[in-house]
Coordinates of all heavy atoms in Angstrom, one line a residue:
M1 N 137.7 193.3 54.1 CA 136.3 193.3 54.0 C 135.7 192.6 55.2 O 136.2 191.6 55.6 CB 135.9 192.6 52.7 CG 134.5 192.9 52.3 SD 134.3 192.2 50.6 CE 133.0 193.1 50.0
A2 N 134.6 193.2 55.7 CA 134.0 192.6 56.9 C 133.3 191.3 56.6 O 132.7 191.1 55.5 CB 133.1 193.6 57.5
K3 N 133.2 190.4 57.6 CA 132.5 189.2 57.4 C 131.0 189.5 57.5 O 130.6 190.4 58.2 CB 132.8 188.2 58.5 CG 133.9 187.2 58.2 CD 134.0 186.2 59.4 CE 134.6 185.0 58.9 NZ 134.7 184.0 60.0
I4 N 130.2 188.7 56.8 CA 128.8 188.8 56.8 C 128.2 188.2 58.1 O 128.6 187.0 58.4 CB 128.1 188.2 55.6 CG1 128.6 189.0 54.3 CG2 126.6 188.3 55.7 CD1 128.1 188.4 53.0
K5 N 127.4 188.8 58.9 CA 126.8 188.2 60.1 C 125.7 187.4 59.6 O 124.9 187.7 58.8 CB 126.4 189.3 61.0 CG 127.5 190.0 61.8 CD 126.9 190.8 62.9 CE 127.9 191.4 63.8 NZ 127.4 192.2 64.9
H6 N 125.5 186.2 60.3 CA 124.4 185.4 60.0 C 123.2 185.7 61.0 O 123.4 186.1 62.1 CB 124.8 183.9 60.2 CG 125.8 183.5 59.2 ND1 125.4 183.1 58.0 CD2 127.1 183.3 59.3 CE1 126.5 182.7 57.3 NE2 127.6 182.9 58.1
K7 N 122.0 185.5 60.4 CA 120.8 185.8 61.3 C 120.7 184.5 62.2 O 120.9 183.4 61.8 CB 119.6 185.9 60.4 CG 119.5 187.3 59.7 CD 118.1 187.4 59.1 CE 118.0 188.8 58.5 NZ 116.7 188.9 57.8
T8 N 120.2 184.8 63.4 CA 119.9 183.7 64.3 C 118.6 183.0 63.8 O 117.6 183.7 63.5 CB 119.6 184.3 65.7 OG1 120.8 185.0 66.1 CG2 119.3 183.2 66.7
K9 N 118.6 181.7 63.9 CA 117.4 180.9 63.6 C 116.5 181.0 64.9 O 116.8 180.3 65.8 CB 117.7 179.5 63.3 CG 118.8 179.3 62.2 CD 118.2 179.6 60.9 CE 119.1 179.2 59.7 NZ 118.9 180.0 58.6
R10 N 115.5 181.9 64.8 CA 114.8 182.2 66.0 C 114.0 181.0 66.6 O 113.9 180.8 67.8 CB 113.8 183.4 65.7 CG 114.4 184.7 65.4 CD 115.5 185.2 66.4 NE 114.9 185.3 67.7 CZ 115.6 185.3 68.8 NH1 116.9 185.1 68.8 NH2 115.0 185.5 70.0
A11 N 113.5 180.2 65.7 CA 112.7 179.0 66.1 C 113.6 178.1 67.0 O 113.1 177.5 68.0 CB 112.1 178.3 64.9
Y12 N 114.8 177.9 66.5 CA 115.8 177.1 67.3 C 116.2 177.8 68.5 O 116.3 177.1 69.6 CB 117.0 176.8 66.4 CG 118.0 175.9 67.0 CD1 117.7 174.6 67.3 CD2 119.2 176.4 67.3 CE1 118.6 173.8 68.0 CE2 120.2 175.6 68.0 CZ 119.8 174.3 68.3 OH 120.7 173.5 68.9
A13 N 116.5 179.1 68.5 CA 117.0 179.8 69.6 C 116.0 179.8 70.8 O 116.4 179.8 72.0 CB 117.3 181.2 69.2
K14 N 114.7 179.7 70.5 CA 113.7 179.7 71.5 C 113.6 178.4 72.2 O 113.1 178.3 73.3 CB 112.3 180.0 70.9 CG 112.2 181.5 70.5 CD 110.9 181.7 69.7 CE 110.9 183.1 69.1 NZ 109.7 183.3 68.3
R15 N 114.2 177.4 71.6 CA 114.1 176.0 72.2 C 115.3 175.5 72.9 O 115.3 174.5 73.6 CB 113.8 175.0 71.1 CG 112.4 175.1 70.5 CD 112.2 174.4 69.2 NE 110.8 174.3 68.8 CZ 110.2 175.3 68.2 NH1 110.8 176.5 68.0 NH2 108.9 175.2 67.9
V16 N 116.4 176.3 72.9 CA 117.7 175.9 73.5 C 118.3 177.0 74.3 O 117.9 178.1 74.1 CB 118.7 175.4 72.5 CG1 118.2 174.2 71.7 CG2 119.1 176.5 71.5
N17 N 119.2 176.6 75.2 CA 120.0 177.6 76.0 C 121.4 177.2 75.9 O 121.7 176.0 75.8 CB 119.5 177.5 77.5 CG 118.2 178.0 77.7 OD1 117.8 179.0 77.1 ND2 117.4 177.3 78.5
V18 N 122.3 178.2 75.9 CA 123.7 177.9 75.9 C 124.2 178.1 77.4 O 123.9 179.0 78.0 CB 124.5 178.9 75.0 CG1 126.0 178.6 75.0 CG2 123.9 178.8 73.6
T19 N 124.9 177.0 77.8 CA 125.4 177.1 79.2 C 126.7 178.0 79.3 O 127.2 178.4 78.3 CB 125.8 175.7 79.7 OG1 126.9 175.2 78.9 CG2 124.6 174.7 79.6
G20 N 127.2 178.2 80.5 CA 128.4 179.0 80.7 C 129.6 178.5 80.0 O 130.5 179.2 79.6
K21 N 129.7 177.1 79.9 CA 130.9 176.5 79.2 C 130.7 176.3 77.7 O 131.5 175.7 77.1 CB 131.2 175.2 79.9 CG 131.7 175.4 81.3 CD 132.3 174.1 81.8 CE 132.9 174.3 83.2 NZ 133.5 173.1 83.8
G22 N 129.5 176.8 77.2 CA 129.3 176.7 75.8 C 128.6 175.5 75.3 O 128.4 175.3 74.1
K23 N 128.1 174.7 76.2 CA 127.3 173.5 75.8 C 125.9 174.0 75.5 O 125.4 175.0 76.0 CB 127.3 172.5 76.9 CG 128.7 171.9 77.2 CD 128.6 170.9 78.3 CE 130.0 170.4 78.7 NZ 129.9 169.5 79.8
I24 N 125.2 173.2 74.7 CA 123.8 173.5 74.3 C 122.8 172.6 75.1 O 122.9 171.4 75.0 CB 123.6 173.5 72.8 CG1 124.5 174.5 72.2 CG2 122.2 173.7 72.4 CD1 124.5 174.5 70.7
K25 N 121.9 173.2 75.8 CA 120.9 172.5 76.6 C 119.6 172.5 75.9 O 119.2 173.5 75.3 CB 120.7 173.2 77.9 CG 120.9 172.3 79.1 CD 121.0 173.1 80.5 CE 120.0 174.2 80.7 NZ 119.9 174.6 82.1
R26 N 118.9 171.3 75.9 CA 117.6 171.2 75.2 C 116.7 170.4 76.0 O 117.1 169.7 77.0 CB 117.8 170.6 73.8 CG 118.4 169.2 73.9 CD 118.4 168.5 72.6 NE 119.0 167.1 72.7 CZ 118.4 166.1 73.1 NH1 117.1 166.1 73.5 NH2 119.0 164.9 73.2
K27 N 115.4 170.3 75.6 CA 114.4 169.5 76.3 C 114.4 168.2 75.6 O 114.7 168.0 74.4 CB 113.1 170.2 76.3 CG 113.0 171.5 77.0 CD 112.8 171.2 78.5 CE 112.6 172.5 79.3 NZ 112.9 172.4 80.7
H28 N 113.9 167.2 76.3 CA 113.6 165.8 75.7 C 112.3 165.8 74.9 O 111.4 166.6 75.3 CB 113.6 164.8 76.8 CG 114.9 164.3 77.2 ND1 115.4 164.6 78.5 CD2 115.8 163.5 76.6 CE1 116.6 164.1 78.6 NE2 116.9 163.4 77.5
A29 N 112.2 165.0 74.0 CA 111.0 164.8 73.2 C 110.2 163.7 73.9 O 110.7 163.1 74.9 CB 111.3 164.4 71.8
Y30 N 109.0 163.4 73.4 CA 108.2 162.2 73.8 C 107.6 162.4 75.2 O 107.3 161.4 75.9 CB 108.9 160.9 73.8 CG 109.5 160.7 72.4 CD1 110.9 160.7 72.2 CD2 108.7 160.4 71.3 CE1 111.5 160.5 71.0 CE2 109.3 160.2 70.0 CZ 110.7 160.3 69.9 OH 111.2 160.1 68.7
R31 N 107.3 163.7 75.6 CA 106.7 163.8 76.9 C 105.4 164.5 76.8 O 104.6 164.6 77.8 CB 107.7 164.7 77.8 CG 107.3 164.7 79.2 CD 108.3 165.1 80.2 NE 107.8 165.1 81.5 CZ 107.3 166.2 82.1 NH1 107.4 167.4 81.6 NH2 106.8 166.1 83.3
S32 N 105.0 165.1 75.7 CA 103.9 165.9 75.6 C 102.5 165.2 75.7 O 101.6 165.7 76.2 CB 103.9 166.7 74.3 OG 104.0 165.8 73.2
H33 N 102.4 164.0 75.1 CA 101.1 163.3 75.2 C 101.4 161.8 75.1 O 102.5 161.3 75.0 CB 100.2 163.7 74.0 CG 100.7 163.4 72.7 ND1 101.8 164.1 72.1 CD2 100.3 162.5 71.8 CE1 102.0 163.5 70.9 NE2 101.2 162.6 70.7
L34 N 100.3 161.0 75.3 CA 100.3 159.6 75.4 C 101.2 159.2 76.6 O 101.9 158.2 76.6 CB 100.9 158.9 74.1 CG 100.1 159.1 72.8 CD1 100.8 158.6 71.7 CD2 98.7 158.6 73.0
A35 N 101.1 159.9 77.7 CA 102.0 159.7 78.8 C 101.5 158.5 79.6 O 102.3 157.9 80.4 CB 102.0 160.9 79.7
H36 N 100.2 158.1 79.5 CA 99.8 156.9 80.3 C 100.4 155.6 79.9 O 100.4 154.7 80.6 CB 98.2 156.8 80.2 CG 97.7 156.5 78.8 ND1 97.6 157.4 77.9 CD2 97.4 155.3 78.3 CE1 97.1 156.8 76.8 NE2 97.0 155.5 77.0
N37 N 101.0 155.6 78.7 CA 101.7 154.4 78.2 C 103.1 154.3 78.8 O 103.8 153.3 78.7 CB 101.8 154.4 76.7 CG 100.4 154.3 76.1 OD1 99.6 153.6 76.6 ND2 100.3 154.9 74.9
K38 N 103.6 155.4 79.3 CA 105.0 155.5 79.7 C 105.1 155.2 81.2 O 104.2 155.6 82.0 CB 105.6 156.9 79.4 CG 105.7 157.1 77.9 CD 106.2 158.5 77.6 CE 106.2 158.8 76.1 NZ 104.9 158.8 75.5
T39 N 106.2 154.7 81.6 CA 106.4 154.4 83.1 C 106.7 155.7 83.8 O 107.1 156.7 83.1 CB 107.5 153.4 83.3 OG1 108.8 154.0 82.8 CG2 107.3 152.1 82.6
T40 N 106.6 155.7 85.1 CA 106.9 156.9 85.9 C 108.4 157.2 85.7 O 108.8 158.4 85.7 CB 106.6 156.6 87.4 OG1 105.2 156.1 87.5 CG2 106.7 157.9 88.2
K41 N 109.2 156.2 85.7 CA 110.7 156.4 85.5 C 111.0 157.1 84.2 O 111.8 158.0 84.2 CB 111.4 155.1 85.6 CG 112.9 155.2 85.5 CD 113.5 153.8 85.6 CE 115.0 153.9 85.6 NZ 115.7 152.6 85.7
Q42 N 110.3 156.7 83.1 CA 110.5 157.3 81.8 C 110.2 158.8 81.9 O 111.0 159.6 81.5 CB 109.7 156.6 80.8 CG 110.3 155.5 80.0 CD 109.3 155.0 79.0 OE1 108.1 154.6 79.3 NE2 109.7 154.9 77.8
K43 N 109.0 159.1 82.4 CA 108.6 160.4 82.5 C 109.5 161.3 83.4 O 109.7 162.4 83.1 CB 107.1 160.5 83.0 CG 106.1 160.0 82.0 CD 104.7 160.1 82.5 CE 104.3 158.9 83.4 NZ 102.9 158.8 83.6
R44 N 110.0 160.7 84.5 CA 110.9 161.4 85.3 C 112.2 161.8 84.6 O 112.7 162.9 84.8 CB 111.2 160.6 86.6 CG 112.0 161.3 87.6 CD 112.1 160.5 88.9 NE 112.8 159.2 88.7 CZ 112.2 158.0 88.9 NH1 111.0 157.9 89.2 NH2 112.9 156.9 88.7
H45 N 112.7 160.9 83.9 CA 114.0 161.1 83.1 C 113.8 162.1 82.0 O 114.7 162.8 81.6 CB 114.6 159.8 82.7 CG 115.2 159.0 83.8 ND1 116.3 159.5 84.5 CD2 114.9 157.8 84.3 CE1 116.6 158.5 85.4 NE2 115.8 157.5 85.3
L46 N 112.6 162.1 81.4 CA 112.3 163.0 80.3 C 112.1 164.4 80.8 O 112.2 165.4 80.0 CB 111.1 162.6 79.5 CG 111.2 161.3 78.7 CD1 109.9 160.9 78.1 CD2 112.2 161.4 77.6
K47 N 111.9 164.6 82.1 CA 111.7 166.0 82.6 C 113.0 166.8 82.5 O 113.0 168.0 82.3 CB 111.3 165.9 84.1 CG 109.9 166.0 84.4 CD 109.8 166.1 85.9 CE 108.6 165.2 86.4 NZ 108.5 165.2 87.9
K48 N 114.1 166.1 82.8 CA 115.4 166.7 82.8 C 115.9 167.2 81.5 O 115.6 166.6 80.4 CB 116.5 165.8 83.4 CG 116.2 165.3 84.8 CD 117.2 164.3 85.3 CE 116.9 163.9 86.7 NZ 117.8 162.9 87.2
D49 N 116.7 168.3 81.5 CA 117.2 168.8 80.2 C 118.3 167.9 79.7 O 119.0 167.2 80.5 CB 117.8 170.2 80.4 CG 116.7 171.2 80.6 OD1 115.5 170.9 80.4 OD2 117.0 172.3 81.1
A50 N 118.6 167.9 78.4 CA 119.6 167.1 77.9 C 120.7 168.0 77.3 O 120.4 169.2 76.9 CB 119.1 166.2 76.8
I51 N 121.9 167.5 77.2 CA 123.0 168.3 76.5 C 123.2 167.7 75.1 O 123.2 166.5 74.9 CB 124.3 168.1 77.3 CG1 124.2 168.6 78.8 CG2 125.5 168.8 76.7 CD1 124.0 170.1 79.0
C52 N 123.3 168.6 74.1 CA 123.4 168.2 72.8 C 124.8 167.5 72.5 O 125.7 167.8 73.2 CB 123.3 169.4 71.8 SG 121.6 170.0 71.8
N53 N 124.8 166.6 71.5 CA 126.1 165.9 71.2 C 127.2 166.8 70.9 O 127.1 167.9 70.3 CB 125.9 165.0 70.0 CG 124.9 163.9 70.2 OD1 124.6 163.6 71.4 ND2 124.3 163.4 69.2
K54 N 128.4 166.4 71.3 CA 129.6 167.1 71.0 C 129.8 167.3 69.5 O 130.3 168.3 69.0 CB 130.9 166.4 71.6 CG 131.5 167.0 72.8 CD 132.7 166.3 73.2 CE 133.3 166.9 74.4 NZ 134.4 166.1 75.0
S55 N 129.4 166.2 68.8 CA 129.7 166.2 67.3 C 128.8 167.2 66.6 O 129.2 167.7 65.5 CB 129.4 164.8 66.8 OG 128.1 164.4 67.1
S56 N 127.7 167.6 67.1 CA 126.8 168.5 66.4 C 126.8 169.9 66.9 O 126.1 170.8 66.4 CB 125.3 167.9 66.4 OG 124.9 167.8 67.8
I57 N 127.6 170.2 67.9 CA 127.6 171.5 68.6 C 128.1 172.6 67.6 O 127.5 173.7 67.5 CB 128.5 171.5 69.8 CG1 127.7 170.9 71.0 CG2 129.0 172.9 70.2 CD1 128.4 171.0 72.3
K58 N 129.0 172.3 66.7 CA 129.5 173.3 65.8 C 128.4 173.8 64.8 O 128.2 174.9 64.6 CB 130.7 172.8 65.0 CG 131.3 173.8 64.1 CD 132.5 173.3 63.3 CE 133.2 174.3 62.4 NZ 134.3 173.7 61.6
T59 N 127.6 172.8 64.3 CA 126.5 173.1 63.4 C 125.4 173.8 64.2 O 124.8 174.8 63.6 CB 125.9 171.8 62.9 OG1 127.0 170.9 62.5 CG2 125.0 172.0 61.7
L60 N 125.1 173.4 65.4 CA 124.0 174.1 66.1 C 124.4 175.5 66.5 O 123.5 176.4 66.5 CB 123.7 173.2 67.4 CG 123.2 171.8 67.1 CD1 123.0 171.0 68.4 CD2 121.9 171.8 66.3
K61 N 125.6 175.7 66.9 CA 126.0 177.1 67.3 C 126.0 178.1 66.1 O 125.7 179.3 66.2 CB 127.4 177.1 67.9 CG 127.5 176.7 69.3 CD 128.8 177.0 70.0 CE 128.7 176.6 71.4 NZ 130.0 176.8 72.1
Y62 N 126.1 177.5 64.9 CA 126.0 178.3 63.7 C 124.6 178.9 63.5 O 124.4 180.0 63.0 CB 126.4 177.4 62.5 CG 126.5 178.2 61.1 CD1 127.5 178.9 60.8 CD2 125.4 178.1 60.2 CE1 127.6 179.6 59.6 CE2 125.4 178.7 59.0 CZ 126.5 179.5 58.7 OH 126.6 180.1 57.5
A63 N 123.6 178.1 64.0 CA 122.2 178.5 63.8 C 121.8 179.5 64.9 O 120.8 180.2 64.7 CB 121.3 177.3 64.0
L64 N 122.6 179.6 66.0 CA 122.3 180.6 67.0 C 122.9 182.0 66.8 O 123.9 182.1 66.1 CB 122.8 180.1 68.4 CG 122.1 178.9 68.9 CD1 122.8 178.4 70.2 CD2 120.7 179.1 69.2

């Protein structure tokens, strides 16, 4: 009997990208507003994409 395919969680899929090696890339939070309270260094580091934790990759890939 064939396995049932899971639907992709579209809201999540729109927010992340899968790299060539299978890691999941995401954006940082806390950059959208109240930026005048944050230092330039904080804002610069929040610009860069982050890689999701190794421990949660299995769960996150299930949603994609």
Side-chain angles (χ1 to χ4, degrees):
M1 196 169 204
K3 267 187 158 182
I4 297 171
K5 283 190 175 182
H6 293 280
K7 284 189 177 179
T8 301
K9 305 288 185 205
R10 295 308 301 158
Y12 180 66
K14 289 172 189 175
R15 287 164 173 80
V16 298
N17 293 316
V18 180
T19 64
K21 291 190 176 183
K23 295 177 183 178
I24 297 177
K25 235 169 43 166
R26 63 173 177 82
K27 295 282 184 197
H28 277 107
Y30 306 111
R31 191 163 178 262
S32 58
H33 64 288
L34 299 175
H36 66 277
N37 295 328
K38 296 174 180 67
T39 63
T40 308
K41 183 179 180 178
Q42 268 180 307
K43 289 182 277 194
R44 185 172 64 245
H45 286 296
L46 290 172
K47 263 188 222 177
K48 297 179 181 175
D49 290 346
I51 301 290
C52 291
N53 294 339
K54 252 185 186 174
S55 57
S56 59
I57 281 185
K58 187 178 179 184
T59 314
L60 297 175
K61 280 196 176 175
Y62 184 80
L64 292 175

